[in-house]
Amino acid sequence: MKIDLTDTTAGKVNKALVQGRRAIGTPAVGMVLTLVIVTDEENAYDALKAAGDASHEHPSRTLLVIKRVSRSPRDRTTSRLDAEVRVGVDAGSGETVILRLHGEVADHADSVVLPLLLPDAPVVVWWPVNAPLDPAQDPLGALAQRRVTDTYSSEQPVRELSARADTYTPGDTDLSWTRITPWRSMLAAALDQVVCEVKAVEVEGEEFNPSCELLAMWLADRLDVPVRRSLSAGPGLTAVRLDTSEGAIALDRADGSLATLSIDGQPDRAVALKRRETAELIAEELRRLDPDDTYASALRFGVERLNASATAVLSVPDSLPKGAPVAVGAEPGTEPGAEPEAIAEAPAAEAAPQEPAPLKKRAKAT
């Protein structure tokens, strides 16, 4: 069921939600959280579809906030709120409200969203694109327990990671980190099978891919060993190679779907490691609403590397395959003659049972 409201108020939107629930015969509210999506018209459809798919696992009230750009000076001073209320099959397993803010009210989106939040339920704010530099200080971000951004959508991902580290507040997370949860889990499981000491690591993937940077930062942070970034044609993250006291361990995914895990002295095995859709990433983030300390630690480690001297290159043993090192903090448009700098990166947010903290202990205790 859909209800269109033009030039309306938050109070009328709430009444429309109640009216819609009664019309479809479900007056009770069975949702577990409020998901606020802040985006533009171009990305609204994809974001709403991902949220709808995720709602089958996490029934929620989804508020899609679209700040419309006024074309004339007169329109910029005229405030108007248009809304579309969806309940039932049109809203997945929850309720959806699309809010289009015109004029000055676009600068006060929090005053529109606040009356529509579910009482006594967590709030998650997600910026698919154009996230603020400090999500916790944003008026909408201040309402949330969890703030989700995506550095992959930014023009300069490495610099964006640096900015995220400078402004990190408990509750912040990034879909670029979530994307590498399976990689972190698989690498931790591989090290569980071998009693060894890790000497050096190489992370291979696309240039300017923040997930590759985060994975390398996590490995450097947890293992306290040199980590080198090398480039490949992708897609995304393609390989991680560990040089250990008991031989090489490699996780190689050339096609973005099926990976091969190689451990010296053991037969190679195929591992399903497909690139996941946005809906799966959002669903994973909604499973945990507590601060992700592992993400924070890896992110801050990377900033220290990014701010280091451009000539500081981490050494990598000759036994590791050689790849083109990535300049720390380099972005498109960097001077061609600039000296490359090794970077450490970190992986995606992972569920509590896969917490990577033991990874460091295993490696250093053997």
Side-chain angles (χ1 to χ4, degrees):
M1 180 178 182
K2 297 182 181 180
I3 303 174
D4 288 322
L5 301 171
T6 303
D7 196 6
T8 187
T9 64
K12 292 179 181 179
V13 173
N14 259 323
K15 290 180 181 178
L17 284 168
V18 175
Q19 174 189 342
R21 288 198 301 269
R22 288 175 176 170
I24 63 174
T26 56
V29 179
M31 288 156 287
V32 298
L33 58 87
T34 303
L35 175 62
V36 182
I37 307 173
V38 187
T39 186
D40 51 23
E41 289 285 4
E42 180 182 358
N43 297 279
Y45 175 81
D46 291 337
L48 198 57
K49 184 178 184 303
D53 292 342
S55 73
H56 294 294
E57 183 176 340
H58 309 279
S60 60
R61 173 176 291 179
T62 301
L63 306 178
L64 182 68
V65 179
I66 302 174
K67 300 179 181 181
R68 299 295 298 269
V69 178
S70 301
R71 299 186 177 181
S72 68
R74 178 180 297 177
D75 289 340
R76 294 190 192 104
T77 60
T78 303
S79 296
R80 190 175 92 243
L81 169 65
D82 297 335
E84 180 183 328
V85 176
R86 301 179 183 179
V87 294
V89 294
D90 294 311
S93 297
E95 300 172 340
T96 298
V97 181
I98 301 174
L99 303 168
R100 291 183 170 88
L101 283 59
H102 304 257
E104 293 181 344
V105 72
D107 297 327
H108 304 281
D110 54 316
S111 63
V112 177
V113 168
L114 187 59
L116 300 176
L117 301 179
L118 290 172
D120 302 321
V123 178
V124 178
V125 178
W126 171 33
W127 292 269
V129 294
N130 302 324
L133 289 179
D134 190 347
Q137 295 301 315
D138 182 83
L140 286 174
L143 301 175
Q145 286 76 43
R146 193 79 161 168
R147 295 165 293 277
V148 184
T149 59
D150 190 356
T151 52
Y152 187 78
S153 65
S154 65
E155 293 184 3
Q156 298 181 323
V158 177
R159 293 184 185 178
E160 191 83 1
L161 285 177
S162 180
R164 291 280 171 263
D166 291 338
T167 62
Y168 175 81
T169 301
D172 292 354
T173 192
D174 194 316
L175 292 187
S176 295
W177 169 258
T178 316
R179 288 183 180 96
I180 52 176
T181 297
W183 284 83
R184 293 195 298 146
S185 302
M186 190 57 59
L187 290 169
L191 285 176
D192 271 341
Q193 301 176 41
V194 183
V195 179
C196 64
E197 178 182 355
V198 179
K199 299 177 180 179
V201 178
E202 180 182 14
V203 176
E204 179 185 277
E206 290 177 327
E207 189 174 9
F208 311 124
N209 186 308
S211 294
C212 299
E213 312 299 328
L214 282 168
L215 182 57
M217 287 189 281
W218 172 67
L219 288 166
D221 182 43
R222 306 315 304 178
L223 295 173
D224 193 22
V225 297
V227 176
R228 184 181 66 171
R229 262 285 273 127
S230 59
L231 301 182
S232 71
L237 183 62
T238 54
V240 176
R241 304 179 183 94
L242 294 83
D243 181 53
T244 76
S245 57
E246 299 299 321
I249 297 176
L251 185 60
D252 197 317
R253 185 190 68 179
D255 61 357
S257 177
L258 189 66
T260 301
L261 176 62
S262 303
I263 301 176
D264 272 6
Q266 299 183 20
D268 292 352
R269 66 203 73 176
V271 178
L273 208 61
K274 71 180 183 69
R275 305 187 77 192
R276 297 184 293 168
E277 299 294 333
T278 304
E280 296 178 71
L281 304 177
I282 286 296
E284 178 181 325
E285 283 303 328
L286 297 182
R287 289 183 204 126
R288 57 173 300 173
L289 300 178
D290 57 312
D292 191 340
D293 295 333
T294 308
Y295 166 68
S297 178
L299 188 65
R300 286 169 176 155
F301 180 94
V303 168
E304 295 174 0
R305 295 298 183 192
L306 292 172
N307 292 336
S309 168
T311 59
V313 179
L314 293 174
S315 61
V316 179
D318 294 336
S319 59
L320 285 180
K322 300 298 182 181
V326 176
V328 175
E331 298 289 350
T334 300
E335 291 293 331
E339 181 115 12
E341 173 180 60
I343 182 168
E345 302 125 47
E350 93 183 33
Q354 301 167 344
E355 195 63 33
L359 183 60
K360 183 172 184 179
K361 295 178 182 177
R362 285 195 301 272
K364 303 193 81 173
T366 56

